[in-house]
Each structure stands twice: as C-alpha cells, then as structure tokens.
Amino acid sequence: MPKELNLGDILIEGKTKIVYNLPDSPERVLLHSKDRISAGDGARQHELVGKAAISTTTAAAVFKLLNDAGVRTHFIEKHSEKEFLAYKCEMIPIEWVTRRVATGSFLRRNPGVKEGYRFCPPKLETFFKDDANHDPQWSHEQLVSAGLKAAGITIGPDEVAIMGKMTMTVFEILERAWASLNCMLVDMKIEFGVTPDKGEIMVADIIDSDSWRLWPAGDRRLMKDKQVYRELKEVTAEGLETVKRNFEWVAERLKELNPKPSARVVVLMGSPSDTAHCEKIQATCHKFGVPCELRVTSAHKGTDETMEILASYEGEGIPTVFVAVAGRSNGLGPVLSGNATWPVINCPPVSADWGAEDIWSSLRLPSGLGCTTVISPEAAGIQAAQILALTDHVIWAKLRASKLNTWISLKTADKKVRNDK
Ligand SMILES: Nc1ncnc2c1ncn2[C@@H]1O[C@H](COP(=O)(O)OP(=O)(O)O)[C@@H](O)[C@H]1O
Ligand SMILES: [Mg+2]
C-alpha cells in the first residue's frame, strides 16, 4: 500500500502525466501517469488501460539505475502503481536526443544518409518543445542564443555543455544496460529541469518506452518501443494490445537490470601493517559497487597458504581481480600472477627510504607473467573496477557517471572563477 500523501494542487497537466504539488514537502512533486498514449505532437491519442502502471514501472527502473550510477535525476522513489515522487523542477523546454544509429526523422532531415549509419560518439540533437510547431530542431548556436531561463538560471554555453554531457552519459549507460539483455538502444530523448532551491540541473520528466527506440538483437523488425504505435496505419484494439504487450515486455526485462555484482576484488597483503593502504583500495572498489575482500598472506613466508587462498577463490568461479600489496621485495604479486589466470595488480606501499628500489621487484618480472603495477591505492581500485566493468554494466555505469561528475565539477568551478573575477 502506498504511504498516505497530502496531495496539493495540480502544478501542471500534460498529455500523459499530471504533476501534483505536495504541501508537506514543497521541494517535491508527485508524477501521476495516465492510461494514455499519444504521438505526432498529440495528433494521435488513445486510451490504453494499463499503460500508466507499465510506464511508472519502466521509469522507476531506469531512474534507479541512473541514480545508483551517480547521474543526477529528479527521481526519488516509486509511490504507487501509477505514481512516483520526484524533486520539483522548473523544466527546460528542450528535448535532448542521442542517436547511436541513424533512423527515423534523422534520415528525413539528412537526405543521403542510409538507415543504420553508426554515430561514434552518439549524435546529440536538440529540439525546442513546441507542439504547435512540431518541436523544431535547434542548433547549438540557437540554443545558447535563446537565453532560456529556468529557476533563475540562464541556460548559456556552460549549462548547454553540462546537459549535453549528461545526455550522452545517460544514453551510454542505458545502451550498455540494454546490451546486457541483447537489445540495441538505437536512440532516445530526455528532458532536464532545474530545482528552484539549489538551481541544480537534473534529468527530469519521464524515461519509458516512449523515450527510445529499442531493437532486440539489433533487429528493427523486432522493435519494442512506441514506434510500433506510430507506424500503425489504423489504430485497432488488436494494434493497441500489441503496443501494450511490447511495453510490458520492456518493463519485465528491466527487472533484470539491477543485478547483484557479478565480480569482485580480493586484496592480498603481505603484512597486516599494510591494512590502511589496503582499505583505501577497498574504499575505491566500493565507490564503484565492486565487492572487495582483504586477506593477509605472505608469498615468501607462507607460500602454501597463498596458493590455498588462490585455489579457494578460483574454485568459487566468481570473476576476480587480485591486488597484491607487499612492501620491500614484492614476491606476492608475481607469485600470484605466475599461478593464476585472473588479473593481478601490484600496488606496493612505497616507503620513503627504499621505495624507488623496491618498485623494481614489481616491475622486472620473470617471463610469462602479466601483472601490472600502480602506486596509488585509488588507481588500483579504479583499474580493478575497469577490468570488471568489461562484462558488468552496473560497474561500468558508475565509472562512466564518475567521469561525468568530475567533468561537471571542473566546468562549474571554471564558471565560478570566471564570474568571481
Ligand atoms: N520534476 C518535475 N517537476 C515539475 N514538472 C515536471 C517534472 N518532471 C516533468 N514535469 C512536467 O510535467 C508535465 C507533464 O508531462 P507530460 O504529460 O509528458 O506533458 P507533455 O504533454 O507536455 O509532454 C510536463 O510539462 C513536464 O515538463
Ligand atoms: Mg511529455
């Protein structure tokens, strides 16, 4: 049962949603989905019983994935079958579109380009939200010149750059997530809002089957998105049922998108005196959602034990990256590397006196070994997460969002320095 909410007045009502104010928490709103499907800027509209619940389930799963990764979105939590709670925003009336593969309106606007042309990086396009004029495409120059305002901030070149980067990140994270389910995310659109209190830019509105083109196995004929509805020559009950079944299929698949971590890092230290160093590696792993265990074992003094530990982890079959932390002469990393097929990263705690000499025991290896060496514990954690992200889209999303957020911090700091002059 949903918690009782004191609903306020309607903030705004659109074609598919009603947004309610919440008098008890003015920084939040309730987004209520309608059982309504529309296309062609509202020219085609139908009642579709069950759509609101499917759309809410879809949006909740997608926003949760993005929030967990570290992308700033307005989504707080699902409230009921057809409703979710979000931060109240002043919306920026722009649709931000990203495309991996050329299809649809892009082909009409860019004659000569064949369907299937692959954009690397994804193609970013912006459209001004104006149903009456069929959402005209705006160039970057038009967008930065328009001087749009939301919640007291003017949308200038910095804000446009930030939203552009956020849009790309959202696309790439969802593209990977869908790829893990053997579906191709062909293109998608999102919208942004600004919070009135902090002036924070966040992904807002909805992300559901209306937001993207989704082709299972990369096959256009298997499409599972709203395009099916757009392409119905005549809208029959049967046609609408197909559309609904597709949307349900998408919502069901999304349940598989927040899996438990499929991999781990094991940090082996030669001596418990290196625990603080190892905990820094562990903290970085945790930041990217990677489980990380610490163990003590010396390859010099407890070789049998080191081999047993290795065998026990290998026996569990969970993909593992080992990080070897050993001061002075690093026997641990190279011995592990010589006996394991999983990756080994040396991260020696470099001492002030002999550090420059000690490091050679990690670098100059017998033939046949493939361990790598980094000095900073953070770098070891990041490297391990990157290796595991090759096959784990959840870890990949966290790494990707972390880069985005670093980029945004720098951009914001630069703007502040310029304005403080
Ligand atoms: N977090 C939010 N705060 C305030 N308004 C929002 C938020 N998220 C979405 N909205 C607005 O809710 C309105 C209703 O959505 P919708 O029915 O899709 O409208 P439309 O028909 O204009 O697309 C839109 O105007 C959208 O900008
Ligand atoms: Mg809308």
Side-chain angles (χ1 to χ4, degrees):
M1 276 295 286
K3 286 166 270 184
E4 275 304 316
L5 262 190
N6 184 8
L7 272 196
D9 52 350
I10 292 179
L11 174 65
I12 186 162
E13 174 164 2
K15 295 183 288 287
T16 59
K17 275 174 264 109
I18 307 172
V19 183
Y20 291 97
N21 279 312
L22 301 170
D24 298 333
S25 36
E27 77 294 350
R28 295 175 173 208
V29 286
L30 186 77
L31 279 91
H32 175 103
S33 277
K34 302 188 207 172
D35 276 338
R36 199 146 190 88
I37 184 164
S38 79
D41 307 312
R44 175 177 273 191
Q45 290 203 34
H46 290 88
E47 179 90 4
L48 188 55
V49 175
K51 191 218 164 209
I54 300 168
S55 167
T56 304
T57 306
T58 305
V62 171
F63 278 125
K64 181 164 185 337
L65 186 84
L66 295 172
N67 282 350
D68 287 352
V71 178
R72 201 75 185 97
T73 85
H74 73 151
F75 179 81
I76 299 169
E77 61 180 6
K78 191 173 167 184
H79 176 69
S80 70
E81 204 190 22
K82 300 180 184 176
E83 293 162 329
F84 68 86
L85 286 163
Y87 292 107
K88 186 196 280 193
C89 292
E90 279 187 29
M91 299 297 292
I92 301 164
I94 297 290
E95 283 192 352
W96 299 76
V97 174
T98 4
R99 302 173 182 277
R100 176 64 79 190
V101 170
T103 187
S105 78
F106 184 89
L107 301 179
R108 286 193 292 280
R109 286 180 285 111
N110 297 270
V113 180
K114 289 204 170 52
E115 177 159 70
Y117 183 99
R118 214 176 147 76
F119 305 105
C120 299
K123 185 87 179 161
L124 178 66
E125 297 181 319
T126 44
F127 298 84
F128 180 55
K129 274 177 71 82
D130 179 5
D131 275 354
N133 291 304
H134 305 291
D135 298 350
Q137 184 177 16
W138 272 11
S139 66
H140 174 82
E141 293 72 19
Q142 286 175 297
L143 186 48
V144 297
S145 305
L148 296 172
K149 287 196 170 46
I153 70 166
T154 302
I155 308 305
D158 298 299
E159 291 71 23
V160 168
I162 288 170
M163 285 183 273
K165 285 266 177 192
M166 288 176 81
T167 305
M168 295 285 242
T169 305
V170 167
F171 180 84
E172 287 179 22
I173 287 175
L174 296 178
E175 179 185 44
R176 285 250 162 183
W178 275 114
S180 78
L181 301 171
N182 192 29
C183 286
M184 185 202 269
L185 186 63
V186 175
D187 50 35
M188 77 175 292
K189 64 156 189 241
I190 57 172
E191 292 175 30
F192 289 89
V194 183
T195 57
D197 46 350
K198 296 198 189 116
E200 232 185 314
I201 296 174
M202 45 179 72
V203 182
D205 203 52
I206 193 106
I207 303 180
D208 66 3
S209 282
D210 183 3
S211 308
W212 55 41
R213 280 194 178 82
L214 193 63
W215 297 353
D219 186 340
R220 188 186 194 287
R221 293 167 302 179
L222 304 178
M223 63 170 88
K224 291 284 184 199
D225 50 76
K226 202 175 79 176
Q227 192 61 21
V228 176
Y229 173 69
R230 291 190 198 100
E231 288 182 9
L232 288 175
K233 288 211 169 57
E234 222 182 292
V235 183
T236 58
E238 200 191 344
L240 282 175
E241 198 48 39
T242 306
V243 171
K244 185 170 142 185
R245 266 203 313 277
N246 286 346
F247 287 9
E248 264 167 358
W249 183 89
V250 168
E252 275 304 307
R253 292 281 80 67
L254 281 168
K255 289 185 184 151
E256 300 161 35
L257 270 193
N258 286 301
K260 293 210 163 34
S262 61
R264 71 180 159 202
V265 169
V266 174
V267 180
L268 300 156
M269 63 188 110
S271 154
S273 62
D274 296 327
T275 305
H277 182 81
C278 295
E279 282 172 349
K280 290 183 193 156
I281 300 171
Q282 189 176 42
T284 305
C285 288
H286 287 169
K287 180 178 160 196
F288 297 114
V290 180
C292 177
E293 292 175 32
L294 306 188
R295 298 292 296 267
V296 178
T297 184
S298 162
H300 285 135
K301 294 173 262 185
T303 321
D304 53 341
E305 189 62 25
T306 305
M307 286 301 103
E308 258 177 51
I309 289 175
L310 174 60
S312 73
Y313 283 114
E314 285 188 322
E316 283 176 18
I318 300 168
T320 303
V321 172
F322 293 108
V323 180
V325 173
R328 301 199 188 185
S329 171
N330 174 21
L332 190 55
V335 164
L336 282 170
S337 183
N339 289 278
T341 48
W342 280 329
V344 177
I345 301 167
N346 298 306
C347 185
V350 179
S351 67
D353 48 0
W354 284 91
E357 288 78 11
D358 290 347
I359 198 78
W360 287 105
S361 63
S362 296
L363 296 174
R364 179 92 176 125
L365 303 170
S367 63
L369 270 60
C371 49
T372 55
T373 300
V374 293
I375 293 172
S376 105
E378 188 196 28
I382 292 174
Q383 170 76 108
Q386 286 174 332
I387 292 169
L388 297 173
L390 287 170
T391 53
D392 187 315
H393 74 90
V394 177
I395 302 171
W396 191 90
K398 289 198 164 76
L399 287 161
R400 185 70 184 78
S402 163
K403 290 212 186 304
L404 167 75
N405 292 330
T406 304
W407 191 92
I408 293 174
S409 305
L410 287 166
K411 189 87 187 154
T412 311
D414 177 52
K415 182 174 183 182
K416 188 167 182 309
V417 166
R418 272 186 276 131
N419 291 348
D420 286 353
K421 258 200 316 223

